[in-house]
Amino acid sequence: MVKVVSEEAVKCAITAICDAYSLSTEASQGVIDSFYNDKLSAFRVNTLKASIADVLAELNSNGIEVSPINWSDVSYTLKDKSLLSRSSFARDGLVYIQNLSSQLTALLLDAKPDEFVLDLAAAPGGKTSFIAAMMQNNGRISAVEPVKDRYFRTIANLKNLGVTICKCYQKDGRVVGKLCKEWFDKVLLDAPCSSMAQIDLRDEDSYSHWNMKKVKECSRKQKQLILSAFESLKPGGTMIYSTCSWMVEENEEVVNHLLNEYNDQLEIVDLDLPIENYLPGLTIYNNVSYHETITKTRRIIPNQCYEAFYIAKIRKLIR
Ligand SMILES: C[S@@+](CC[C@H](N)C(=O)[O-])C[C@H]1O[C@@H](n2cnc3c(N)ncnc32)[C@H](O)[C@@H]1O
């Protein structure tokens, strides 16, 4: 029987990481508060099906007010997504409601037309579809998802969003590296995680299943998945590892595991995020030291606009 955690236990985990960064009491409180507060919603225009100008004009005529984001032409925030999520734009895939941290992660993969891309943990396909839009539906994407209903949902979603270059596979991502050794130019591993970003401390249901046992289980699987992702990458290719968790076990510890296995075959890319609310990856946690290069990985600090996220960009060296 899994022990259900209290709000205090979640706050404790968040505080421990704030302490590890020596964040001021005020900054730590800001992070904890962000797990209580309502966030702004965000969406992107799906340029596979609509032009930005047309969508903005339609939203305006429906009284939906949106604000642009400075790092993406297609991304916007809005106070209340209820009208938009019920609209025909969302239903018909002209826009896709997606938080900014997720959008930024997909953008950072920097997939180009004509490349061969792997999305190793794809459902429901939000990032896959953004990647396809950036590739202008030119090239190839393989999307992997082992859970049956999530796999079928991804296929339906991608179809609705006008993605034509993606083939979906119902598979465990951990076997892909051995089956498709050095096939892909780019790989996204948006790993299954304990989903701290989804925690709303006002809503017990959102954290009642979150616990350290789950964190440890996720960490074990993430370490296997990151090796598989790296093995599937071509020399010279790049991959993104991301989670929407705040836990070191699911982030720095996983990248450190890859570095322990393949240190001489990769470099961690220094991520220059176009936002201010981020921290470098931790190199020491609970008295365990990780590779120094992990400081080049990034943690997005949650706030009103952004969900808690961890992003690492990794390049496979040409031998
Ligand atoms: C964080 S979600 C991915 C979200 C997706 N990238 C998006 O933006 O829409 C992680 C996904 O990994 C899937 N997953 C779980 N175990 C997996 C495994 N062994 N191999 C590949 N995917 C797995 C989960 O079912 C879940 O759909």
Side-chain angles (χ1 to χ4, degrees):
M1 181 74 177
V2 172
K3 189 170 166 292
V4 171
V5 288
S6 65
E7 179 181 331
E8 263 330 293
V10 180
K11 270 164 65 180
C12 214
I14 300 168
T15 309
I17 298 178
C18 291
D19 285 352
Y21 280 105
S22 310
L23 291 187
S24 65
T25 317
E26 206 176 274
S28 303
Q29 193 56 47
V31 172
I32 291 176
D33 286 350
S34 74
F35 285 89
Y36 280 107
N37 294 341
D38 286 327
K39 298 227 178 330
L40 285 178
S41 295
F43 72 94
R44 62 181 168 80
V45 176
N46 176 21
T47 49
L48 295 178
K49 285 188 98 168
S51 78
I52 301 170
D54 287 351
V55 168
L56 291 183
E58 278 292 325
L59 292 174
N60 192 29
S61 69
N62 282 274
I64 300 177
E65 272 182 42
V66 304
S67 308
I69 290 298
N70 61 8
W71 46 262
S72 159
D73 292 344
V74 299
S75 310
Y76 297 83
T77 58
L78 74 172
K79 283 213 180 85
D80 178 8
K81 68 177 178 197
S82 56
L83 213 55
L84 183 63
S85 50
R86 287 197 305 270
S87 73
S88 59
F89 318 119
R91 202 174 47 246
D92 299 340
L94 308 187
V95 301
Y96 190 77
I97 296 171
Q98 187 172 39
N99 74 71
L100 291 180
S101 300
S102 289
Q103 293 189 40
L104 184 55
T105 305
L107 199 73
L108 289 168
L109 187 66
D110 197 24
K112 302 273 193 291
D114 297 325
E115 286 186 329
F116 191 14
V117 176
L118 170 66
D119 188 342
L120 194 59
K127 296 188 188 68
T128 324
S129 61
F130 196 9
I131 292 166
M134 285 183 276
M135 295 167 73
Q136 297 157 33
N137 257 342
N138 283 304
R140 271 194 297 164
I141 304 177
S142 296
V144 174
E145 170 59 47
V147 181
K148 192 173 173 189
D149 58 334
R150 293 180 65 80
Y151 159 77
F152 283 114
R153 189 165 147 220
T154 306
I155 293 176
N157 240 347
L158 294 176
K159 185 162 181 239
N160 189 44
L161 291 163
V163 175
T164 55
I165 56 168
C166 184
K167 187 156 173 31
C168 297
Y169 298 88
Q170 193 193 341
K171 268 213 167 316
D172 188 321
R174 289 173 285 193
V175 302
V176 173
K178 299 273 179 286
L179 293 175
C180 311
K181 209 167 163 43
E182 304 195 336
W183 280 22
F184 299 96
D185 300 298
K186 302 266 163 74
V187 177
L188 172 65
L189 172 55
D190 184 37
C193 70
S194 67
S195 301
M196 283 197 88
Q198 260 94 65
I199 286 175
D200 177 342
L201 286 168
R202 294 163 304 186
D203 169 13
E204 205 180 319
D205 280 353
S206 74
Y207 59 82
S208 58
H209 297 293
W210 185 94
N211 52 51
M212 280 313 290
K213 181 167 181 261
K214 186 167 181 190
V215 170
K216 300 269 185 230
E217 276 167 16
C218 286
S219 179
R220 238 187 331 271
K221 187 188 264 194
Q222 288 154 348
K223 286 175 187 163
Q224 295 167 323
L225 281 168
I226 202 170
L227 296 183
S228 176
F230 185 75
E231 284 155 10
S232 72
L233 194 63
K234 279 182 193 166
T238 49
M239 62 179 262
I240 293 275
Y241 173 79
S242 60
T243 71
C244 62
S245 170
W246 190 244
M247 302 305 289
V248 175
E249 291 85 345
E250 302 185 76
N251 297 326
E252 287 89 343
E253 195 180 301
V254 176
V255 175
N256 196 62
H257 179 70
L258 177 68
L259 281 162
N260 284 344
E261 293 290 318
Y262 288 111
N263 194 14
D264 56 337
Q265 294 179 44
L266 66 90
E267 62 182 4
I268 307 287
V269 178
D270 212 341
L271 266 181
D272 192 12
L273 297 188
I275 56 175
E276 282 168 9
N277 52 312
Y278 68 79
L279 292 166
L282 271 177
T283 52
I284 298 180
Y285 189 67
N286 281 345
N287 296 325
V288 179
S289 299
Y290 304 132
H291 290 259
E292 195 54 38
T293 182
I294 279 184
T295 52
K296 293 179 180 172
T297 68
R298 296 287 179 249
R299 282 168 168 270
I300 297 182
I301 308 173
N303 62 15
Q304 202 201 2
C305 291
Y306 290 87
E307 282 193 347
F309 239 76
Y310 176 79
I311 311 174
K313 189 164 187 170
I314 296 150
R315 179 175 299 116
K316 190 176 216 170
L317 299 176
I318 298 173
R319 298 184 288 278

